[in-house]
């Protein structure tokens, strides 16, 4: 089915440097963008390499002194106009997201509103980059701390939330007075390009925001140009832990600031005193958002022996009723996975779990009759820590349930992972709530709540899930440094 947009020019097939849309990479190579529901090519975009990465960086570097000096209120007004344009094009952007990423249309449009909420938030935060007047320890001196933008930011964004992650990284960078070079995920460049067009229309000056598209093969060449160049002062990345480690290692020579939103392995714990219906609802919303392709998606579910069977049975009934289908069908609740590799990983995890003794209560198979990348929402019981689905992030619609018998046992199991992004638990005991919230080794904890996302909240992890916070009053700090001024002879 053709992609029909109210404003067809939002579908771009060019990269953007120094205020110009450029249709071809120097090499002439192109990257096919496909619909994950069908595998059919939607369009091609340029497959950029080092020459385009360098041109983007030159433009961002040249634009930085001017953008940094634009008064915060004026930067805020431009970013606010960007927010307004994003919301005005919610339908078209939602269609682009759903078509290239696969999430159902209602979720695609929801993601646009979610993205806009970050843009609006950081437009407002731009005007609150207050410094400090510090009491001087001796007479005749005044001491101050100013906040300044770090410089050029390289933003490397993922495919699972192609609008929200661009917004959450680029809006604070612009608000702080930084300029940006961006490389969107190879699977979902179209949403990012449309957002950049709207930023241009909102009045973001030439060179302040630059974006280059690149395939999986060319991405390392593009990113290495930015990693090795001292003019890039900050890297912001959402993606896998191995890539995050590579970025940290390779940028060490030029000592860049880094924000890394990396992999997760979120535990979801249901205690014996939990409200079971609320826990089932919480898991449904946390787990099946974007078909489980979310960094904060519960990956390991632990249920107390006393309530295990009730929880597993209620959950399986809900999961079996989920409607799987393409974004184009308004009834769809779960879309296709992003690509073959994603479905193969899910299949491998379920097969491994079953081979090691897990039992399938719902799903447990590919849905090849629907298209190439569909997998049935799945519930497994008898999961244990030896299974691949307990050690690796499945990033799909699979719920492996492990039975536990004591709080100490489940806390040890929940924390027994290198990762530390999100954790969830359900309990009605207020003492236990504080005890457990404080010992979970994660950056985010959902307590009797599955839907945690909000622009006003600090999003980020600990341990191998990375560092830095996005959103909230802290989200601007990663794009700023503090300059100390000391004036004497007063
Ligand atoms: C992510 O999966 O990286 C982001 C999820 C969210 O914003 O809630």
């Amino acid at each position: 089915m053709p992609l029909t947009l109210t404003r067809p020019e939002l579908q771009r097939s060019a990269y953007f440097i120094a205020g110009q849309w450029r249709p071809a990479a120097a090499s002439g190579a192109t990257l096919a963008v496909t619909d994950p529901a069908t595998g059919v090519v939607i369009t091609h975009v340029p497959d950029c390499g080092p020459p385009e990465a360098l041109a983007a960086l030159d433009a961002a570097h040249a634009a930085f002194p001017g953008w940094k000096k634009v008064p915060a209120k004026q930067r805020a007004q431009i970013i606010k106009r960007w927010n307004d344009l994003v919301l005005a094009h919610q339908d078209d952007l939602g269609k682009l997201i759903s078509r290239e990423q696969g999430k159902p249309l209602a979720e695609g449009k929801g993601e646009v509103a979610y993205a806009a909420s970050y843009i609006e938030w950081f437009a407002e935060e731009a005007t609150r980059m207050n410094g400090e007047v510090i009491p001087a320890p001796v007479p005749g001196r005044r001491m101050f701390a100013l906040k300044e933008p770090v410089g050029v930011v390289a933003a490397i964004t993922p495919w699972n939330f192609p609008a929200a992650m661009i917004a959450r990284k680029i809006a604070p960078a612009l608000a702080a007075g930084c300029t940006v070079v961006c490389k969107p995920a190879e699977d979902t460049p179209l949403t990012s390009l449309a957002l950049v067009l709207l930023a241009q229309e909102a009045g973001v000056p030439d060179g302040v925001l630059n974006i280059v598209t690149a395939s999986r093969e060319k991405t390392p060449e593009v990113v290495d140009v930015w990693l090795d160049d001292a003019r890039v002062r900050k890297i912001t990345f959402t993606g896998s832990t191995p890539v995050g480690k590579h970025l940290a290692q390779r940028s060490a020579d030029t000592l860049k600031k880094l924000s890394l939103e990396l992999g997760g392995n979120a535990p979801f714990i249901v205690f014996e005193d939990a409200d079971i219906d609320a826990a089932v609802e919480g898991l449904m919303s946390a787990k099946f958002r974007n078909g489980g392709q979310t960094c904060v998606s519960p990956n390991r579910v632990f249920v107390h022996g006393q309530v295990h069977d009730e929880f597993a049975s209620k959950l399986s009934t809900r999961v079996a009723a989920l409607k799987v289908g393409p974004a184009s069908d308004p009834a769809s609740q779960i879309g296709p996975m992003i690509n073959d590799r994603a479905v193969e990983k899910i299949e491998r995890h379920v097969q491994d779990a079953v081979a090691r003794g897990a039992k399938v209560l719902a799903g447990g198979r590919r849905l090849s009759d629907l298209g190439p990348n569909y997998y049935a929402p799945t519930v497994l019981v008898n999961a244990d820590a030896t299974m691949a689905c307990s050690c690796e992030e499945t990033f799909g619609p699979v719920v492996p349930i492990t039975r536990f018998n004591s709080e100490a046992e489940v806390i040890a199991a929940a924390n027994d992972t290198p990762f530390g992004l999100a954790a969830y638990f359900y309990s009605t005991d207020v003492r236990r709530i504080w005890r457990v919230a404080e010992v979970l080794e994660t950056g985010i904890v959902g307590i009797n709540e599955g839907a945690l996302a909000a622009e006003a909240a600090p999003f980020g992890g600990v341990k191998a899930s990375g560092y830095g916070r996005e959103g909230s009053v802290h989200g601007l700090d990663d794009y700023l440094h503090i300059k100390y001024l000391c004036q004497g002879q007063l």
Side-chain angles (χ1 to χ4, degrees):
M1 191 192 291
L3 184 57
T4 43
L5 302 180
T6 312
R7 266 192 80 190
E9 64 274 27
L10 281 175
Q11 188 185 320
R12 317 292 300 166
S13 295
Y15 59 102
F16 183 72
I17 293 179
Q20 286 175 348
W21 289 97
R22 304 183 184 187
S27 67
T30 60
L31 159 68
V33 186
T34 55
D35 177 348
T38 56
V40 169
V41 174
I42 306 166
T43 186
H44 289 83
V45 295
D47 191 3
C48 297
E52 293 77 27
L54 192 58
L57 174 52
D58 288 343
H61 184 249
F64 176 59
W67 181 242
K68 174 186 173 179
K69 286 206 199 94
V70 172
K73 182 161 180 164
Q74 207 177 317
R75 288 202 304 272
Q77 284 163 344
I78 293 171
I79 300 168
K80 181 70 173 55
R81 276 202 296 278
W82 187 26
N83 165 70
D84 296 343
L85 286 171
V86 168
L87 286 176
H89 294 90
Q90 184 173 10
D91 283 2
D92 278 352
L93 292 169
K95 283 185 193 166
L96 275 172
I97 294 172
S98 291
R99 182 55 68 93
E100 65 175 347
Q101 197 271 319
K103 61 178 55 128
L105 189 54
E107 264 195 84
K109 288 187 196 170
E111 185 186 333
V112 178
Y114 182 47
S117 72
Y118 283 99
I119 300 176
E120 183 182 44
W121 175 267
F122 285 112
E124 291 166 354
E125 286 297 296
T127 58
R128 299 182 195 124
M129 281 167 39
N130 302 333
E132 292 160 14
V133 180
I134 301 159
V138 290
R141 271 196 211 162
R142 295 290 182 272
M143 294 163 52
F144 310 91
L146 305 185
K147 291 194 180 163
E148 293 191 332
V150 292
V152 176
V153 171
I156 303 156
T157 61
W159 51 264
N160 61 340
F161 289 89
M165 297 304 108
I166 287 270
R168 198 146 99 177
K169 295 179 186 307
I170 292 180
L174 299 181
C178 298
T179 55
V180 179
V181 291
C182 176
K183 209 297 293 172
E186 59 279 5
D187 290 303
T188 55
L190 301 181
T191 307
S192 342
L193 295 173
L195 287 173
V196 169
L197 176 69
L198 296 176
Q200 183 189 19
E201 291 176 354
V204 172
D206 294 354
V208 169
L209 175 55
N210 310 276
I211 186 164
V212 295
T213 46
S215 61
R216 200 174 164 74
E217 292 70 35
K218 287 271 185 63
T219 290
E221 296 174 34
V222 166
V223 173
D224 284 352
V225 167
W226 298 339
L227 288 171
D228 293 345
D229 197 310
R231 292 176 298 168
V232 173
R233 296 310 317 140
K234 179 185 165 70
I235 304 277
T236 173
F237 169 70
T238 296
S240 74
T241 296
V243 174
K245 286 183 179 171
H246 168 75
L247 298 178
Q249 279 158 0
R250 181 114 185 197
S251 60
D253 261 358
T254 50
L255 288 177
K256 301 184 200 313
K257 215 167 166 160
L258 289 156
S259 302
L260 301 173
E261 291 294 344
L262 308 177
N265 186 1
F268 186 105
I269 305 168
V270 184
F271 286 102
E272 68 277 23
D273 53 43
D275 175 335
I276 299 303
D277 292 330
V280 169
E281 285 318 306
L283 183 63
M284 292 301 292
S285 74
K287 179 72 227 182
F288 293 104
R289 177 171 171 237
N290 197 19
Q293 302 173 109
T294 307
C295 304
V296 288
S297 185
N299 200 55
R300 297 169 296 152
V301 178
F302 299 98
V303 185
H304 193 277
Q306 281 175 24
V307 293
H308 176 278
D309 293 354
E310 180 190 355
F311 179 86
S313 147
K314 285 182 167 167
L315 181 74
S316 305
T317 306
R318 288 292 311 278
V319 169
L322 285 170
K323 168 96 173 78
V324 183
S328 53
D329 179 349
S332 298
Q333 294 168 294
I334 306 279
M337 300 296 103
I338 188 70
N339 54 33
D340 289 357
R341 287 191 311 282
V343 192
E344 279 159 17
K345 183 177 190 189
I346 296 165
E347 263 189 323
R348 173 169 66 78
H349 279 194
V350 173
Q351 283 165 4
D352 168 78
V354 170
R356 290 169 188 270
K359 186 172 155 212
V360 177
L361 293 192
R365 61 195 173 88
R366 245 181 205 258
L367 298 174
S368 306
D369 45 327
L370 290 177
N373 296 326
Y374 289 94
Y375 199 90
T378 296
V379 179
L380 304 172
V381 286
N382 301 340
D384 68 39
T386 66
M387 297 173 180
C389 61
S390 302
C391 312
E392 300 169 26
E393 195 176 19
T394 303
F395 233 60
V398 178
V399 182
I401 301 180
T402 304
R403 188 188 287 262
F404 72 91
N405 292 312
S406 76
E407 185 180 306
E409 172 200 345
V410 77
I411 294 301
N415 286 337
D416 186 19
T417 167
F419 300 99
L421 184 54
Y424 306 77
F425 67 93
Y426 277 70
S427 168
T428 53
D429 175 341
V430 71
R431 289 193 183 83
R432 166 175 274 163
I433 284 175
W434 282 102
R435 210 165 50 230
V436 172
E438 286 171 8
V439 295
L440 286 169
E441 296 170 355
T442 57
I444 302 170
V445 180
I447 306 165
N448 295 329
E449 181 57 67
L452 311 179
E455 74 282 8
F459 187 102
V462 296
K463 294 163 61 179
S465 294
Y467 40 76
R469 292 293 177 267
E470 296 188 328
S472 83
V473 293
H474 306 289
L476 213 53
D477 291 344
D478 279 8
Y479 297 86
L480 298 168
H481 58 229
I482 294 175
K483 182 185 274 179
Y484 162 50
L485 308 184
C486 179
Q487 186 176 4
Q489 306 295 318
L490 293 172

